[in-house]
């Protein structure tokens, strides 16, 4: 349990606490000098002292304390982490409300996974960016608390990067109350299922196959951006939903060229070194653009060895290859909940004070204390002024 | 050399023309004792004829002059008329006190005017007059003389002197005893703050001198109409004290009045004719009350 200042700049008001000290000193200067021969009949008074003298130190201390508390009030103090460890459940707004309420029973804190994290008892709000909200929840809930998340089977509003959280989260999936709009689904269809690349080879033992198989393994291991590879001999039919074709051989087959005319990307590994060089800014790998009649495709001519292509040894080679074939991967907006959950990793948290979602606001009790002390100060000051001999 | 005319205002001098210094003690060679027989004899210098005043011995009336003029005159011999008037001024630092509202009107200025007035009356009467200034721990004396030149000399001394320092101690005051002859009229002008001055007055009175006393106080000292915080400073000792004037007023007035009453009591018990004077009062009255006829001195304050 720690005290945190939400607005530490408010402590600059502590400079005002110097003012009572100066005021309590200043009275010394106000005495006017007067030569008075009949001084022996004056009652004994205070001899003027050279050193600095503070009048009424008790009242001065009270006033300094009052101004210090006021500066602290301005700095918005909150108490973080009180109440021990609590159990949270955050429910995605797409989940069926009845199921959500049932799932939320038995938890200390039940909130919607929406901006502001409203209580689960409120009606379901509009959804926000899921990944951002999950990160925010992870950052603002105290570290000691346990968090469980209930998602619908399709998650919408993902970020471009895989989600990394600082704690272990228990995931649940539930029935969706509303489905994702159809036009949205159509536009992001390729992100729902991983894209398909067809690989056709004339010679199964070609040296290029080794590099391609390694790249395919890398694609399948990348949880957030999978790419499926359909590997077959040159004569086999191409799958209907293949977005790109890799042809390992001397010349691409007719079916491949026809598919390239329809819009798929065709990359030939092998063949003569004819063709126009594609600008390095447009392609991460040194490829040639080949035209033959109405067809156009990309070619990386023989031999596909590290001596000619040092990019083969680059650990980013699978990404370069994917970029040529499919273009830069678009950030996935939609995913299946299971696939998404599978991609969530835990990252070590920075040593930053976490919390903020269940802080105890200290401003109200502090204001009451300040009011009481002010009344006491006024009573003391007035009492002293009245009690002074006239 | 011209007299410093600023010391005695002309108006005051005009009013003092009707004032006479009346000695309370019988003259040294008075009608009692062996001088009575000298009065009409030859060998004693005739000084003047003086109009008969109530209190004179009827034996001193010159009946021959009465037969001629049908008025009573008393004959004065030189030794009788040789009245010496001494003015002792307190020139210590406390006499520099003035009021906040009238800083140019300080006690020293009033003391000088009173001294000059007394000297003027003595000059007019033909008496001898001398001056003693007690300040800076010493006694500055101007031995008695007569005539306008002596008056100018005394006025010059008054003009040049400044109040400072403390009242002289016993050793310095011894000069006063040798200079002030018995039966002299002594006018002590001060502020009454110095107990040694009071003691000098009582002892002079006890040893056959006719002592009169005027104690000057400023309006602030008497009324203490100050308000607000002040840092009071004693001009003689240099001590400083910080006080709120309004809160100490009652206490101060009580103590000051008590001290004044004690002073009056002591002087009255010794036989000194004493008068309190406050700076805002006209200057003629204290002189007339202290120097003039006793019946005129009717609780003048």
């Amino acid at each position: 349990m720690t005290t945190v200042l939400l607005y530490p700049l408010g402590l600059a008001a502590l400079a005002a606490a110097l003012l009572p000290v100066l005021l309590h000193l200043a009275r010394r200067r106000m005495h006017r000098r007067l030569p008075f021969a009949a001084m022996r009949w004056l009652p004994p008074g205070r001899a003027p002292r050279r050193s600095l003298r503070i009048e009424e130190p008790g009242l001065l201390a009270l006033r300094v304390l009052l101004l210090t508390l006021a500066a602290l009030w301005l700095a918005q103090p909150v108490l973080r982490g009180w109440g021990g460890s609590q159990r949270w459940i955050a429910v995605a707004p797409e989940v069926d409300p009845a199921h959500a309420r049932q799932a939320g029973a038995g938890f200390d804190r039940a909130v919607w996974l929406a901006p502001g994290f409203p209580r689960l008892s409120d009606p379901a709000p509009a959804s926000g960016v899921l990944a951002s909200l999950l990160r925010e929840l992870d950052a603002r809930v105290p570290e000691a608390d346990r968090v469980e998340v209930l998602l619908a089977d399709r998650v919408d509003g993902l970020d471009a990067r895989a989600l990394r959280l600082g704690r272990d989260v228990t995931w649940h999936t539930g029935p969706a109350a509303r489905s994702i709009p159809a036009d949205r689904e159509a536009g992001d269809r390729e992100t729902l299922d991983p894209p398909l690349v067809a690989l056709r080879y004339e010679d199964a033992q070609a040296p290029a196959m080794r590099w391609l198989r390694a790249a395919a393994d890398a694609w399948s291991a990348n949880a957030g951006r999978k790419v499926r590879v359909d590997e077959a001999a040159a004569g086999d039919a191409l799958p209907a939903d293949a977005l790109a074709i890799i042809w390992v051989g001397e010349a691409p087959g007719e079916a491949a060229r026809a598919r390239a005319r329809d819009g798929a990307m065709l990359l030939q590994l092998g063949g003569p070194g004819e063709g126009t060089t594609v600008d390095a800014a447009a392609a991460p790998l040194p490829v040639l653009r080949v035209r033959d009649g109405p067809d156009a495709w990309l070619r990386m001519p023989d031999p596909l060895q590290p001596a000619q292509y040092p990019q083969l040894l680059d650990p980013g080679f699978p990404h370069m290859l994917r970029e040529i074939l499919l273009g830069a991967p678009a950030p996935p907006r939609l995913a299946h909940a299971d696939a998404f959950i599978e991609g969530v990793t835990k990252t070590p948290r920075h040593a930053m004070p976490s919390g903020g979602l269940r802080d105890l606001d200290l401003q109200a009790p502090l204001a009451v204390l300040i009011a009481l002390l002010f009344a006491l100060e006024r009573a003391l000051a007035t009492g002293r002024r009245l009690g002074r001999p006239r | 050399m011209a007299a410093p005319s600023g010391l005695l205002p002309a108006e005051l001098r005009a009013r003092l023309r009707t004032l006479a210094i009346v000695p309370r003690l019988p003259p040294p060679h008075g009608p009692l004792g062996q001088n009575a027989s000298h009065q009409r004899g030859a060998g004693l210098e005739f000084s003047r004829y003086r109009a008969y005043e109530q209190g004179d011995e009827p034996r001193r009336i010159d009946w021959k002059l009465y037969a001629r003029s049908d008025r009573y005159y008393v004959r004065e011999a030189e030794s009788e008329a040789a009245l010496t008037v001494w003015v002792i001024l307190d020139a210590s630092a406390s006499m520099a006190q003035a009021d906040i509202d009238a800083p140019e009107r300080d006690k020293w200025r009033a003391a000088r005017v009173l001294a000059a007035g007394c000297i003027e009356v003595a000059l007019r009467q033909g008496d001898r007059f001398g001056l003693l200034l007690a300040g800076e721990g010493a006694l500055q004396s101007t031995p008695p003389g007569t005539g306008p030149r002596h008056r100018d000399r005394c006025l010059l001394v008054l003009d040049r002197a400044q109040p400072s320092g403390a009242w002289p101690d016993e050793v310095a005051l011894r000069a006063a005893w040798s200079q002030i002859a018995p039966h002299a009229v002594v006018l002590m002008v001060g502020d009454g703050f110095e107990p040694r001055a009071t003691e000098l007055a009582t002892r002079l009175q006890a040893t056959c001198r006719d002592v009169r006393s005027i104690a000057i106080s400023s309006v602030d000292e008497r009324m203490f109409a100050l308000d607000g915080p002040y840092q009071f400073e004693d001009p003689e000792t240099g001590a400083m004290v910080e006080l709120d004037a309004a809160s100490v007023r009652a206490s101060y007035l009580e103590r000051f009045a008590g001290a004044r009453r004690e002073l009056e009591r002591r002087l009255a018990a010794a036989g000194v004719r004493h008068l309190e004077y406050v700076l805002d009062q006209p200057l003629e009255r204290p002189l007339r009350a202290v120097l003039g006829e006793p019946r005129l001195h009717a609780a003048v304050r």
Side-chain angles (χ1 to χ4, degrees), chain A residues 28 30-50 53 389-390, chain B residues 94 97 100 193 221 224 229-235 239-243 246-248 252 255-256 259:
Chain A
R28 181 169 78 90
M30 277 167 47
H31 288 79
R32 287 155 50 191
R33 284 190 61 175
L34 180 67
F36 197 68
M39 220 179 75
R40 71 199 77 175
W41 293 290
L42 286 173
R46 292 188 300 266
R49 282 195 251 162
R50 287 283 149 210
R53 199 165 48 90
R390 282 254 149 249
Chain B
S94 60
Q97 176 75 31
I100 279 189
F193 291 173
E221 285 168 354
F224 207 74
Y230 281 97
Q231 187 181 340
F232 296 102
E233 186 183 348
D234 191 336
M240 292 205 225
V241 80
E242 278 181 0
L243 284 170
S247 59
V248 304
Y252 163 80
R255 294 167 71 162
F256 185 76

Side-chain angles (χ1 to χ4, degrees), chain A residues 60-92:
Chain A
L60 171 66
L62 181 61
R63 285 169 174 163
V64 169
L65 175 68
L66 206 56
L67 287 174
T68 307
L69 288 181
L72 193 63
W73 184 90
L74 275 179
Q76 297 177 22
V78 293
L79 207 56
R80 192 160 279 185
W82 73 289
S85 163
Q86 300 197 336
R87 292 179 63 222
W88 291 72
I89 181 157
V91 181

Side-chain angles (χ1 to χ4, degrees), chain A residues 208-255:
Chain A
M209 292 303 295
R210 190 169 146 243
W211 302 104
L212 290 175
R213 289 198 183 104
D217 284 341
W219 288 341
S220 66
N222 192 340
R225 300 181 208 161
K226 265 192 185 166
V227 178
R228 291 174 291 152
V229 176
D230 178 45
E231 187 179 328
D236 288 356
L238 293 167
D241 53 350
L243 294 175
I245 304 162
I246 304 177
W247 190 273
V248 183
E250 279 298 315
E254 186 50 46

Side-chain angles (χ1 to χ4, degrees), chain A:
Chain A
M1 196 162 64
T2 54
T3 311
V4 175
L5 297 178
L6 292 185
Y7 186 59
L9 201 56
L11 287 182
L14 277 178
L18 281 179
L19 197 61
V21 179
L22 293 176
L23 286 178
H24 277 242
L25 284 178
R27 288 175 67 86
R28 181 169 78 90
R29 301 252 174 249
M30 277 167 47
H31 288 79
R32 287 155 50 191
R33 284 190 61 175
L34 180 67
F36 197 68
M39 220 179 75
R40 71 199 77 175
W41 293 290
L42 286 173
R46 292 188 300 266
R49 282 195 251 162
R50 287 283 149 210
S51 58
L52 289 176
R53 199 165 48 90
I54 309 262
E55 290 190 5
E56 298 179 12
L59 194 57
L60 171 66
L62 181 61
R63 285 169 174 163
V64 169
L65 175 68
L66 206 56
L67 287 174
T68 307
L69 288 181
L72 193 63
W73 184 90
L74 275 179
Q76 297 177 22
V78 293
L79 207 56
R80 192 160 279 185
W82 73 289
S85 163
Q86 300 197 336
R87 292 179 63 222
W88 291 72
I89 181 157
V91 181
E94 297 91 23
V95 174
D96 181 39
H99 183 87
R101 262 178 271 285
Q102 182 194 353
F107 284 89
D108 301 317
R109 301 271 177 148
V111 295
W112 286 109
L113 203 53
F117 301 108
R119 289 179 201 268
L120 202 59
S121 49
D122 298 344
S127 3
V129 180
L130 182 78
S132 164
L133 286 168
L134 282 170
R135 276 194 289 268
E136 185 185 345
L137 187 72
D138 176 47
R140 294 184 61 191
V141 168
E143 207 164 334
D145 293 2
R146 287 179 293 156
V147 176
E148 302 190 16
V149 179
L150 173 62
L151 298 174
D153 51 4
R154 292 246 184 106
V155 291
D156 186 11
L158 299 181
D159 272 355
R161 53 182 293 178
L163 186 63
R164 290 187 187 155
L165 298 178
R167 67 179 80 217
D168 292 321
V169 174
T170 311
W171 301 94
H172 309 280
T173 52
R178 50 186 186 224
S179 56
I180 294 159
D183 52 352
R184 193 72 201 280
E185 194 163 332
D188 289 333
R189 183 177 302 269
E190 70 260 21
T191 62
L192 269 182
D193 298 314
L196 182 64
V197 171
L199 173 61
R200 297 290 177 263
Y201 52 85
E202 292 172 359
D203 174 16
Q205 304 305 321
M209 292 303 295
R210 190 169 146 243
W211 302 104
L212 290 175
R213 289 198 183 104
D217 284 341
W219 288 341
S220 66
N222 192 340
R225 300 181 208 161
K226 265 192 185 166
V227 178
R228 291 174 291 152
V229 176
D230 178 45
E231 187 179 328
D236 288 356
L238 293 167
D241 53 350
L243 294 175
I245 304 162
I246 304 177
W247 190 273
V248 183
E250 279 298 315
E254 186 50 46
R257 289 168 65 160
R259 192 62 75 83
R261 276 196 294 270
D262 284 339
M265 179 62 68
L266 175 58
L267 174 65
Q268 177 195 358
L269 298 180
E274 298 166 350
T276 54
T277 312
V278 174
D279 189 18
L285 290 171
V287 295
L288 304 172
R289 188 178 297 279
V290 177
R291 291 186 190 278
D292 183 15
D295 303 324
W297 66 91
L298 298 178
R299 174 190 289 166
M300 288 172 73
D302 275 333
L304 204 69
Q305 296 296 336
Q308 277 72 36
Y309 295 100
Q311 292 87 356
L312 287 174
L313 299 177
D314 192 324
F317 173 70
H319 299 295
M320 295 181 203
L321 191 60
R322 184 214 161 105
E323 195 174 328
I324 288 183
L325 292 174
L326 300 172
R333 303 300 305 282
L334 290 177
H336 288 292
D338 300 327
F340 167 71
I341 290 167
E342 200 182 306
V344 173
T345 53
K346 185 174 175 190
T347 184
R349 183 192 292 279
H350 296 290
M352 278 174 57
S354 66
L357 213 47
R358 56 177 189 88
D359 289 337
L360 181 64
D361 190 8
L362 292 178
Q363 268 193 318
L366 197 57
V368 171
L369 178 65
I370 288 174
L372 286 176
L373 285 180
F374 182 66
L376 177 67
E377 187 266 338
R378 280 291 92 202
L380 277 179
T382 312
R384 280 183 200 272
R385 196 174 68 242
L386 290 178
R388 228 178 269 152
R390 282 254 149 249

